[in-house]
């Protein structure tokens, strides 16, 4: 891989170094905070050799895979960020949920390497002790085990740094504020019964806590901004930190610290109560939906729960076991594709992605193989659910917050319960073999799938077998599919095609076809064209929540329709009144056998040529 070439192409297509506010990376993705996303050429970035996918969410993420560190280091050499400090992005018009998710990710994602490294080290020491290779009372064991203890004891300090980074606040002042909470003198004063301004201060143990530190730094950042506005520049260097600390620490002791502690306790209690009600089924369900959560970045919202739970209980029994079931299922599915596929490029991609997933890194498998192939995804989902429920049934506990895989299986070692590791290994084996067998049985290369569909097209001319022209099913503005607000359509996980911002509420047949699917809520319809292509037309984003209100269908499943026949009427104003996006997505859903070509963008009327669908 030519890292310099990839880095230069990425930098050019995202708008140059001046468009980059911050740049980070995780295990497989480059994570950009951009000044102006409108200048980014997403489609060309996806075509860069070495790029596996793009996720345009709270951050602009480019999926690289196992070579992300090398590409990141190369980018830093050609994209110096020191001059971009304080750069202002365009007005953020995202919904508060997206902003909150970005804040959560920016606070918790950077913590994972330190927590994972220290945790795996301690679990390896436990294994060495169990096998009699290292005495648990030896000085070496004690010194190395203390690394993990120190990591979690000083977790609030790390949270102070990441929160200050997210808020663009002074990191060292934030460390000073949160560090006060961990002082032995403070701990002793709280134990003895501290009073402040005549109010009793609640005795809270702040070590290993995350939410008190987050609230403390948020309040500190507000104080900094306020005092920066009123402070004379000559004394700002000491006046602002002095006043910010003098106000923040008492407020934290009296209000924010106890509040954060209670939030963390309640947060953990609610999820554990849900787990307690649903039992092993909850773990299986989470494992089954994890691939879709990871594809959209929503799995990061579970990090606060996992880290908080581990800090309070010393173990975590939902997210980590579910991640193990999903990660290894991705691996098994990829190995099956690598073994059975006749496509040499796909075989190589699947083999490499399978090895990565086996080690706990799933993005190469997700973006390179399973999200693009429904049969492989079926193997992942079914196997993940089965393995997850099995581990939930035996209450498998994880003692480290890290992406589970072969290299980190020691995270399930429990010195008080030797069976925990055994059941985790059984779950590992079930996930690997289950997804491998299911995918191997279901998998057929596109050539085989074409042969399967021969009955559909045997009566067609050679020209008809090749291309089918789709016209616009409604009046509106045709736009690039990657710009829509639904990530599954924007990422083309559900197929390639086009999106139309409608001007009215009448949907017509885009070609001669058969109705093969009609949702009960009438918000989506599936058609099979004359050359066998399957077209999905989805009206609006999240309009399923309207439960069919405002939608009227004029056809039913198995009906034969002609181009221009009225299919569905929908209330455009009703959709907008619900604050939902009315954009209509028109996609080819069997992209393994058919390709979308010659998309037409701009204003379109019913009957205007929209795009071609070609077999092969």
């Amino acid at each position: 891989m030519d890292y310099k070439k990839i880095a230069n192409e990425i930098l050019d297509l995202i708008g140059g170094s001046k468009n980059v506010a911050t740049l980070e990376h995780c295990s497989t993705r480059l994570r950009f905070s951009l000044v102006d996303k409108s200048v980014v050429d997403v489609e060309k970035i996806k075509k860069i050799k070495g790029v596996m996918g793009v996720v345009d969410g709270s951050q602009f993420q480019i999926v690289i895979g196992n070579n992300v560190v090398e590409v990141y280091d190369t980018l830093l050499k050609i994209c110096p960020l020191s001059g971009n400090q304080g750069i202002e992005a365009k007005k953020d018009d995202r919904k508060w949920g997206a902003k909150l998710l970005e804040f959560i990710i920016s606070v918790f994602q950077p913590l994972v390497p330190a927590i994972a490294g220290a945790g795996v080290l301690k679990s390896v020491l436990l294994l060495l002790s169990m096998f009699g290779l290292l005495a648990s009372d030896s000085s070496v064991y004690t010194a190395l085990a203390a690394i993990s203890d120190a990591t979690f004891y000083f977790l609030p300090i790390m949270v102070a740094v990441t929160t200050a980074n997210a808020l663009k606040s002074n990191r060292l002042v934030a460390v000073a504020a949160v560090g006060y909470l961990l002082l032995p003198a403070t701990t002793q004063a709280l134990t003895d019964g501290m009073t402040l301004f005549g109010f009793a201060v609640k005795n809270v143990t702040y070590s290993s806590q995350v939410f008190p530190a987050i609230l403390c730094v948020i309040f500190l950042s507000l104080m900094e901004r306020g005092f920066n506005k009123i402070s004379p520049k000559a004394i700002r260097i000491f006046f602002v930190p002095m006043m910010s600390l003098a106000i923040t620490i008492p407020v934290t002791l009296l209000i924010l610290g106890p509040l954060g502690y209670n939030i963390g306790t309640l947060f953990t209690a609610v999820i554990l109560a849900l787990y307690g009600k649903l039992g092993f089924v909850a773990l299986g369900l989470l494992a089954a939906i994890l691939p879709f959560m990871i594809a959209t970045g929503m799995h990061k919202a579970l990090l606060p729960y996992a880290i908080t739970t581990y800090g309070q209980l010393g173990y975590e029994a939902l997210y980590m076991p579910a991640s193990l079931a999903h990660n290894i299922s991705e691996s098994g599915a990829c190995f099956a594709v690598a073994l059975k596929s006749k496509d040499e490029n796909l075989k190589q991609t699947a083999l490499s992605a399978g090895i990565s997933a086996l080690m706990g890194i799933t993005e190469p498998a997700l973006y390179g193989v399973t999200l693009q192939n429904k049969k492989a995804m079926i193997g992942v989902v079914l196997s993940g659910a089965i393995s997850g429920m099995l581990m939930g049934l035996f209450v498998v506990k994880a003692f480290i917050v890290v992406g589970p895989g072969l290299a980190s299986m020691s995270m399930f070692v429990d010195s008080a319960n030797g069976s925990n590791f055994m059941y985790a290994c059984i779950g590992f084996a079930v996930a690997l073999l289950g997804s491998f067998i299911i995918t191997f049985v279901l998998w057929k290369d596109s050539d085989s799938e074409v042969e399967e569909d021969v009955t559909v097209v045997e009566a067609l001319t050679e020209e008809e077998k090749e291309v089918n022209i789709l016209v616009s099913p409604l009046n509106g503005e045709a736009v690039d599919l990657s710009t829509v607000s639904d990530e599954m359509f924007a990422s083309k996980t559900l197929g390639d095609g086009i999106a139309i911002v409608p001007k009215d509420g009448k949907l017509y047949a885009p070609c001669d076809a058969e109705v093969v699917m009609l949702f009960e809520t009438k918000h989506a319809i599936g058609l099979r064209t004359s050359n066998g292509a399957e077209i999905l037309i989805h009206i609006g984003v999240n309009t399923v929540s309207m439960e069919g209100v405002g939608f009227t269908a004029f056809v039913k499943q198995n009906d034969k329709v002609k181009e221009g026949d009225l299919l569905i009427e929908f209330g455009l104003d009703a959709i907008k009144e619900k604050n939902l996006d009315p954009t209509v997505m028109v996609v080819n859903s069997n992209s393994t056998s058919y390709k979308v070509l010659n998309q037409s963008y701009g204003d379109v009327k019913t009957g205007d040529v929209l795009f071609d669908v070609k077999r092969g």
Side-chain angles (χ1 to χ4, degrees):
M1 184 176 288
D2 188 339
Y3 305 126
K4 187 174 182 180
K5 184 174 183 292
I6 294 173
N8 277 302
E9 289 180 353
I10 289 174
L11 188 59
D12 179 56
L13 295 173
I14 63 173
S17 60
K18 295 298 183 183
N19 197 37
V20 181
T22 63
L23 170 60
E24 303 168 328
H25 75 87
C26 58
S27 53
T28 58
R29 308 181 190 192
L30 297 169
R31 295 174 174 269
F32 294 88
S33 293
L34 299 175
V35 178
D36 183 2
K37 286 187 179 180
S38 66
V39 303
V40 177
D41 194 328
V42 176
E43 291 305 312
K44 286 187 178 180
I45 291 175
K46 290 178 180 178
K47 295 176 182 177
I48 296 175
K49 187 176 181 180
V51 170
M52 306 186 73
V54 170
V55 180
D56 187 4
S58 55
Q59 292 178 307
F60 187 78
Q61 303 169 35
I62 300 178
V63 184
I64 301 295
N66 296 333
N67 298 297
V68 67
V69 174
E70 288 79 6
V71 176
Y72 172 80
D73 289 341
T74 307
L75 265 171
L76 288 185
K77 293 177 182 176
I78 62 174
C79 178
L81 300 177
S82 57
N84 291 5
Q85 292 178 355
I87 193 170
E88 290 294 329
K90 283 191 174 181
K91 183 180 179 181
D92 192 347
D93 57 358
R94 291 173 299 156
K95 294 181 179 179
W96 69 268
K99 296 177 184 178
L100 178 61
L101 179 61
E102 179 177 11
F103 178 72
I104 290 172
I105 292 172
S106 59
V107 170
F108 286 93
Q109 177 69 32
L111 302 174
V112 174
I115 293 173
V120 171
L121 176 60
K122 191 170 186 178
S123 65
V124 170
L125 292 174
L126 283 172
L127 277 177
L128 294 175
S129 177
M130 288 172 62
F131 288 111
L133 300 175
L134 183 63
S136 59
D137 58 354
S138 68
S139 59
V140 173
Y141 184 99
T142 302
L144 294 178
I147 295 174
S148 180
D149 297 334
T151 300
F152 277 91
Y153 184 88
F154 292 108
L155 183 60
I157 299 292
M158 293 188 284
V159 170
V161 173
T162 58
T163 306
N165 283 341
L167 298 173
K168 296 180 174 60
S169 183
N170 191 306
R171 287 173 292 184
L172 295 182
V173 176
V175 167
V178 175
Y180 170 83
L181 302 177
L182 301 179
L183 272 177
T186 304
T187 304
Q188 186 61 51
L190 291 173
T191 303
D192 294 340
M194 177 189 285
T195 59
L196 202 59
F197 307 120
F199 296 98
V201 179
K202 183 177 179 179
N203 183 14
V204 175
T205 302
Y206 288 106
S207 60
S208 304
Q209 295 290 326
V210 295
F211 289 104
I214 292 173
L215 293 181
C216 174
V217 177
I218 290 174
F219 187 82
L220 178 72
S221 70
L222 295 175
M223 292 297 100
E224 281 185 347
R225 291 172 189 174
F227 284 115
N228 270 321
K229 291 180 180 179
I230 64 173
S231 172
K233 293 182 179 180
I235 62 171
R236 184 180 292 172
I237 191 170
F238 69 85
F239 179 77
V240 173
M242 178 186 73
M243 295 303 298
S244 299
L245 288 169
I247 296 174
T248 298
I249 289 175
V251 171
T252 300
L253 286 172
L254 289 169
I255 302 173
L256 301 179
L259 176 62
Y261 175 80
N262 290 331
I263 289 174
T265 302
L266 179 63
F267 185 38
T268 302
V270 168
I271 294 184
L272 290 178
L274 181 64
Y275 180 44
K277 287 285 185 182
L278 296 177
F280 65 94
V281 176
L283 208 156
L285 287 173
L286 180 57
I289 65 173
L290 264 178
F292 310 106
M293 292 181 69
I294 293 171
T296 58
M298 288 302 297
H299 66 302
K300 298 299 183 185
L302 292 171
L303 269 179
Y305 151 74
I307 293 173
T308 303
T309 300
Y310 181 70
Q312 291 182 354
L313 305 179
Y315 66 85
E316 196 279 317
L318 178 61
Y319 180 39
M320 290 297 107
S323 294
L324 175 67
H326 164 251
N327 293 355
I328 306 308
S329 292
E330 289 280 355
S331 177
C334 286
F335 287 146
V337 173
L339 185 62
K340 199 170 182 182
S341 177
K342 297 176 182 178
D343 185 326
E344 287 301 319
N345 289 330
L346 181 57
K347 286 173 77 74
Q348 292 177 19
T349 300
L351 180 61
S352 174
I355 294 172
S356 294
L358 192 69
M359 296 301 166
I361 307 298
T362 57
E363 275 89 345
L366 266 171
Y367 289 97
V369 182
T370 57
L371 280 176
Q372 299 180 30
N373 299 281
K374 295 178 183 177
K375 292 172 182 176
M377 183 54 72
I378 290 172
V380 171
V381 171
L382 291 180
S383 177
I386 294 168
S387 175
M389 286 191 287
L390 179 65
M391 287 189 283
L393 194 62
F394 291 109
V395 195
V396 172
K397 299 175 181 177
F399 296 88
I400 307 169
V401 179
V402 64
L406 181 62
S408 57
M409 280 301 289
S410 59
M411 65 189 289
F412 296 101
V413 173
D414 184 358
S415 57
N417 178 16
S419 297
N420 190 75
F421 182 68
M422 179 185 71
Y423 290 133
C425 290
I426 292 173
F428 183 107
V430 169
L432 185 66
L433 293 175
S435 61
F436 180 88
I437 292 170
I438 294 171
T439 305
F440 190 86
V441 170
L442 294 178
W443 181 265
K444 286 183 175 64
D445 277 323
S446 57
D447 290 342
S448 300
E449 290 174 359
V450 169
E451 291 173 7
E452 251 185 4
D453 292 338
V454 70
T455 56
V456 178
V457 296
E458 60 185 357
L460 303 178
T461 65
E462 289 301 314
E463 185 177 355
E464 287 174 322
K465 290 179 183 180
E466 284 297 317
V467 179
N468 201 308
I469 299 174
L470 267 71
V471 300
S472 179
L474 72 169
N475 300 316
E477 181 187 2
V479 298
D480 194 303
L481 192 63
S482 65
T483 64
V484 302
S485 57
D486 187 309
E487 180 61 31
M488 296 303 289
F489 281 103
S491 63
K492 300 186 180 178
T493 300
L494 298 176
D496 195 5
I498 211 164
I500 302 174
V501 181
K503 292 182 179 178
D504 54 46
K506 290 187 177 182
L507 183 77
Y508 298 92
C511 62
D512 295 352
E514 177 186 357
V515 179
V516 293
M517 179 273 293
L518 178 65
F519 272 70
E520 290 184 10
T521 51
K522 312 297 189 297
H523 74 288
I525 187 169
L527 306 174
R528 181 180 290 122
T529 69
S530 58
N531 71 343
E534 293 179 357
I535 304 300
L536 171 65
I537 305 178
H538 194 287
I539 303 170
V541 176
N542 200 31
T543 45
V544 66
S545 62
M546 297 178 68
E547 299 180 344
V549 176
F551 292 81
T552 303
F554 294 89
V555 293
K556 60 184 184 299
Q557 191 166 326
N558 299 323
D559 280 357
K560 300 290 195 301
V561 297
K562 294 289 186 181
E563 178 186 317
D565 287 351
L566 181 61
L567 302 178
I568 298 172
E569 282 190 358
F570 57 95
L572 185 58
D573 291 337
I575 295 174
K576 293 178 179 179
E577 286 173 4
K578 294 286 186 180
N579 292 320
L580 299 175
D581 183 349
T583 301
V584 176
M585 281 69 70
V586 185
V587 301
N588 162 43
S589 59
N590 53 349
S591 55
T592 56
S593 303
Y594 297 83
K595 294 181 179 179
V596 171
L597 305 169
N598 305 320
Q599 290 99 319
S600 298
Y601 299 109
D603 289 336
V604 291
K605 295 180 180 179
T606 304
D608 289 350
V609 175
L610 199 61
F611 59 77
D612 301 334
V613 181
K614 182 178 180 181
R615 175 181 291 280

